[in-house]
Amino acid sequence: MSLSKGKQFEVKFKEDFKRSIPNSTIDRLYDQISGRKSIRNICDFIGYAYPNIYYLECKSHLGNTFPLSNLSQYEKLATKVGIKGVRVGVVIWFIEHKKVIYVPISTVTKMLEYGEKSINITKIEKQGYRYIEIPSSEKRVFLDSNYNILPALLGEGD
């Protein structure tokens, strides 16, 4: 059985994060296979690059809009917002648009407060929500993404 594009993107994300952020480390928290739906990891990856720790959820999506209901880890991730040196967000690969963005969980919280149901890649900039487009170059299937802008652009609460 072949890996889904989402699982392949996670592998690519880990490689790109490690390659593009000097002196960093990143670990994949593997999905629980015990059959208990009540046991869920906080996110897909925990990374570290002095002085920040990153809690990162990776998603891949076809189409313009990523439904916020697909971010099942939101509640757990939101508990990490506001802790000094902690960066919490979701990395979304919009496959058809050939774009990768980082959306801080604090932005997701704002979107939910304003009644948004999804993250629309064609509207997020016009809506004024905070996000970071990750510099990426197109390859045959995936993108080579450079995450080294995250330490410089992310502040407390991002």
Side-chain angles (χ1 to χ4, degrees):
M1 174 173 19
S2 67
L3 290 175
S4 70
K5 275 192 179 175
K7 292 295 179 195
Q8 290 174 328
F9 172 62
E10 290 175 359
V11 170
K12 183 72 172 115
F13 165 78
K14 182 177 180 178
E15 290 170 4
D16 288 348
F17 184 94
K18 184 80 175 120
R19 176 187 44 78
S20 61
I21 300 179
N23 300 312
S24 66
T25 184
I26 189 160
D27 293 308
R28 172 71 165 99
L29 301 179
Y30 289 98
D31 298 325
Q32 303 289 329
I33 1 178
S34 66
R36 296 184 182 161
K37 292 203 177 236
S38 62
I39 299 174
R40 287 205 103 113
N41 287 330
I42 187 169
C43 57
D44 290 326
F45 293 93
I46 296 178
Y48 179 77
Y50 180 82
N52 298 312
I53 189 166
Y54 298 86
Y55 289 86
L56 301 165
E57 181 64 23
C58 283
K59 299 292 185 183
S60 56
H61 192 70
L62 289 167
N64 295 338
T65 57
F66 172 77
L68 293 175
S69 61
N70 287 0
L71 186 56
S72 59
Q73 301 82 350
Y74 168 74
E75 293 293 331
K76 286 185 178 183
L77 289 168
T79 67
K80 299 296 183 186
V81 174
I83 301 171
K84 188 172 180 63
V86 176
R87 307 295 178 251
V88 189
V90 58
V91 176
I92 308 171
W93 173 33
F94 283 92
I95 299 168
E96 294 170 342
H97 292 271
K98 298 178 174 81
K99 287 186 179 183
V100 177
I101 65 171
Y102 172 91
V103 181
I105 290 302
S106 57
T107 296
V108 173
T109 299
K110 256 185 213 163
M111 295 178 89
L112 291 169
E113 287 171 357
Y114 289 126
E116 302 287 350
K117 302 278 189 233
S118 62
I119 297 170
N120 187 316
I121 190 66
T122 63
K123 295 180 183 175
I124 191 168
E125 186 173 0
K126 294 175 204 144
Q127 292 171 315
Y129 291 113
R130 176 144 166 69
Y131 76 101
I132 297 169
E133 185 170 337
I134 303 298
S136 303
S137 57
E138 188 177 347
K139 299 297 175 192
R140 215 170 74 161
V141 176
F142 295 98
L143 303 172
D144 276 345
S145 299
N146 188 342
Y147 295 92
N148 75 349
I149 63 169
L150 289 180
L153 294 179
L154 294 179
E156 294 302 323
D158 288 340

